[in-house]
Amino acid sequence: MSINNRRENAIFNQNKLKIGTFATNTVGSMHTSAPEAFQPSWSNALKAATMADGAGFEALLALARWRGPLAGNPDHRGHVVLDPFAWGAALAMATNYSTLFSTSHAPMVHPLLVAKQGATIDHISGGRFGLNVVGGWNRSEFEMFGFNLDEHDRRYEYLEEWLTVVKRLWTEHDEIDFQGDFLKLKGAISRPQPVQNGGPPILNAAVSARGQRFAAEYADAAFVYAGLDKDTIASYKTLAREEFGRDLAVWTQIPIVQRSTRDEAEKFLNYFANEHEDVESVDAWLKGINAESRDIKGGNAKFNRVDVSCGGPPVVGTAQDIADSLIELSERGIDGVLFSWFDFEDGLTRFIEEVIPLLETAGMRAPFVPPTEHR
């Protein structure tokens, strides 16, 4: 297979505001007990992916999660998580345009394995794989593997070594030796290497100051809290450009509650996030999240329970309200947004039919022309 310039990847297109789906390999990001909520299954993930891909969404992202936040209840829906790499490989054959981002916890998966899996998905997809890298934060997941949860900055030191190895395996011709503080490899090689010249794009959740610096040096896009102000968002790009000579995009994630009227949307939000709040799951999430990742520069670190129930501060209202909020995010410097919905099929249908035309009219996006199928 010929080597593609990675800039052909959808996330590097000319749309001012890129869009994507968030976590269809699990419960999305909703902590709700409402019976109609999105259920994590392959058929549901496949349906959401094909809808988004057919509408020109630039990214589809799968979380890495080994367990939900709630202990002592193995049947809780939050524990159901389709493997992000198997998810990506399967969707590579069902989609034609969107970049497929698999997430990997660096401490739980050896870089040789990730290099092999990622390159394989890149070949299956024709150069549409992306890697979201995280250092991990959930103590119960580390304990499940028998690992200690190192302090925050120490986890980034490990992540730097880990990603350096992955990138070298993807790009260097010869076998590599690596001697770091954490990883030691001799004669390491991974074939095939990715279709994308230079390796697939890297995404990293960069909330803390240490995370911001890591993303500026190593990632193609930083994944940040939606409430950051314009100056803080600009600081990510300035740091990458001035200290590391790199271009860095800034992406975020928001839940959407869209209805014909704002009142209907607010009532529906209240229904699933208040009346049917998954109280135990929200409590466990707030207890378990590492404090460093809540130190949000330029934002509010004290999460509202409704925000937690929805997976972040939701955007609520009509199609025009949603479009206006997205335009405002773009004006603050956000380059891409990943969406979650209470019901992905219903949410995608409303968004594709009603919001995307408004974004096109506003100059945020060009009308989508589907590519020729790569298969």
Side-chain angles (χ1 to χ4, degrees), residues 128-203:
R128 293 185 294 115
F129 177 70
L131 180 63
N132 179 34
V133 297
V134 294
W137 60 268
N138 189 335
R139 186 175 301 277
S140 64
E141 288 186 325
F142 278 75
E143 291 173 347
M144 190 168 76
F145 277 81
F147 299 156
N148 292 322
L149 179 64
D150 288 335
E151 62 89 20
H152 180 264
D153 285 6
R154 182 73 168 168
R155 296 199 298 275
Y156 271 101
E157 292 171 11
Y158 180 87
L159 186 57
E160 285 183 342
E161 284 194 13
W162 184 93
L163 185 56
T164 296
V165 169
V166 171
K167 286 189 169 186
R168 289 187 63 186
L169 290 166
W170 277 346
T171 58
E172 294 188 15
H173 178 267
D174 297 322
E175 297 177 352
I176 69 169
D177 294 335
F178 186 87
Q179 294 289 321
D181 292 334
F182 306 96
L183 295 168
K184 295 174 175 50
L185 294 85
K186 184 174 178 60
I189 188 172
S190 180
R191 294 293 190 274
Q193 290 182 313
V195 171
Q196 296 177 81
N197 189 20
I202 303 297
L203 178 66

Side-chain angles (χ1 to χ4, degrees), residues 202-259:
I202 303 297
L203 178 66
N204 173 248
V207 178
S208 67
R210 182 66 180 87
Q212 179 179 357
R213 189 166 189 83
F214 175 88
E217 185 171 1
Y218 295 101
D220 296 284
F223 197 52
V224 306
Y225 174 67
L228 296 185
D229 60 43
K230 186 173 184 178
D231 289 343
T232 303
I233 293 169
S235 73
Y236 280 78
K237 301 178 182 184
T238 300
L239 177 64
R241 182 175 59 253
E242 294 185 354
E243 292 206 26
F244 303 106
R246 306 179 67 250
D247 292 326
L248 180 69
V250 179
W251 285 56
T252 191
Q253 184 264 333
I254 59 171
I256 291 180
V257 185
Q258 180 185 343
R259 288 294 185 270

Side-chain angles (χ1 to χ4, degrees), residues 360-371:
E360 292 174 356
T361 299
M364 293 288 105
R365 299 181 59 78
F368 177 59
V369 178

Side-chain angles (χ1 to χ4, degrees), residues 20-331:
T21 63
F22 182 72
T24 61
N25 66 318
T26 181
V27 295
S29 56
M30 305 292 186
H31 297 263
T32 180
S33 61
E36 314 94 320
F38 180 81
Q39 296 298 319
S41 70
W42 169 242
S43 61
N44 286 340
L46 177 62
K47 179 65 174 178
T50 54
M51 290 178 69
D53 180 71
F57 281 51
E58 282 82 6
L60 313 176
L61 182 140
L63 284 182
R65 184 170 291 160
W66 300 96
R67 59 174 301 139
L70 190 61
N73 183 1
D75 294 326
H76 188 271
R77 64 193 283 268
H79 294 310
V80 181
V81 186
L82 300 174
D83 174 77
F85 286 87
W87 171 96
L91 287 183
M93 291 300 295
T95 58
N96 291 291
Y97 179 73
S98 302
T99 301
L100 303 161
F101 277 97
S102 298
T103 301
S104 181
H105 289 112
M108 282 77 168
V109 189
H110 196 280
L112 272 166
L113 180 59
V114 169
K116 176 74 74 175
Q117 290 177 321
T120 299
I121 299 173
D122 208 43
H123 277 258
I124 296 170
S125 66
R128 293 185 294 115
F129 177 70
L131 180 63
N132 179 34
V133 297
V134 294
W137 60 268
N138 189 335
R139 186 175 301 277
S140 64
E141 288 186 325
F142 278 75
E143 291 173 347
M144 190 168 76
F145 277 81
F147 299 156
N148 292 322
L149 179 64
D150 288 335
E151 62 89 20
H152 180 264
D153 285 6
R154 182 73 168 168
R155 296 199 298 275
Y156 271 101
E157 292 171 11
Y158 180 87
L159 186 57
E160 285 183 342
E161 284 194 13
W162 184 93
L163 185 56
T164 296
V165 169
V166 171
K167 286 189 169 186
R168 289 187 63 186
L169 290 166
W170 277 346
T171 58
E172 294 188 15
H173 178 267
D174 297 322
E175 297 177 352
I176 69 169
D177 294 335
F178 186 87
Q179 294 289 321
D181 292 334
F182 306 96
L183 295 168
K184 295 174 175 50
L185 294 85
K186 184 174 178 60
I189 188 172
S190 180
R191 294 293 190 274
Q193 290 182 313
V195 171
Q196 296 177 81
N197 189 20
I202 303 297
L203 178 66
N204 173 248
V207 178
S208 67
R210 182 66 180 87
Q212 179 179 357
R213 189 166 189 83
F214 175 88
E217 185 171 1
Y218 295 101
D220 296 284
F223 197 52
V224 306
Y225 174 67
L228 296 185
D229 60 43
K230 186 173 184 178
D231 289 343
T232 303
I233 293 169
S235 73
Y236 280 78
K237 301 178 182 184
T238 300
L239 177 64
R241 182 175 59 253
E242 294 185 354
E243 292 206 26
F244 303 106
R246 306 179 67 250
D247 292 326
L248 180 69
V250 179
W251 285 56
T252 191
Q253 184 264 333
I254 59 171
I256 291 180
V257 185
Q258 180 185 343
R259 288 294 185 270
S260 298
T261 68
R262 193 173 302 179
D263 183 61
E264 288 178 26
E266 293 286 356
K267 286 180 178 177
F268 187 64
L269 172 66
N270 183 65
Y271 165 74
F272 76 81
N274 283 324
E275 295 177 11
H276 288 276
E277 179 190 28
D278 189 339
V279 175
E280 290 182 325
S281 182
V282 169
D283 287 345
W285 190 89
L286 286 171
K287 181 179 179 181
I289 191 169
N290 185 282
E292 286 285 348
S293 62
R294 297 173 64 191
D295 181 19
I296 299 171
K297 180 181 177 183
N300 183 0
K302 294 182 179 179
F303 295 113
N304 183 296
R305 289 188 68 89
V306 171
D307 294 351
V308 176
S309 295
C310 297
V315 174
V316 185
T318 66
Q320 189 64 60
D321 293 329
I322 306 299
D324 289 345
S325 294
L326 295 177
I327 293 167
E328 192 274 332
L329 278 172
S330 176
E331 290 172 347

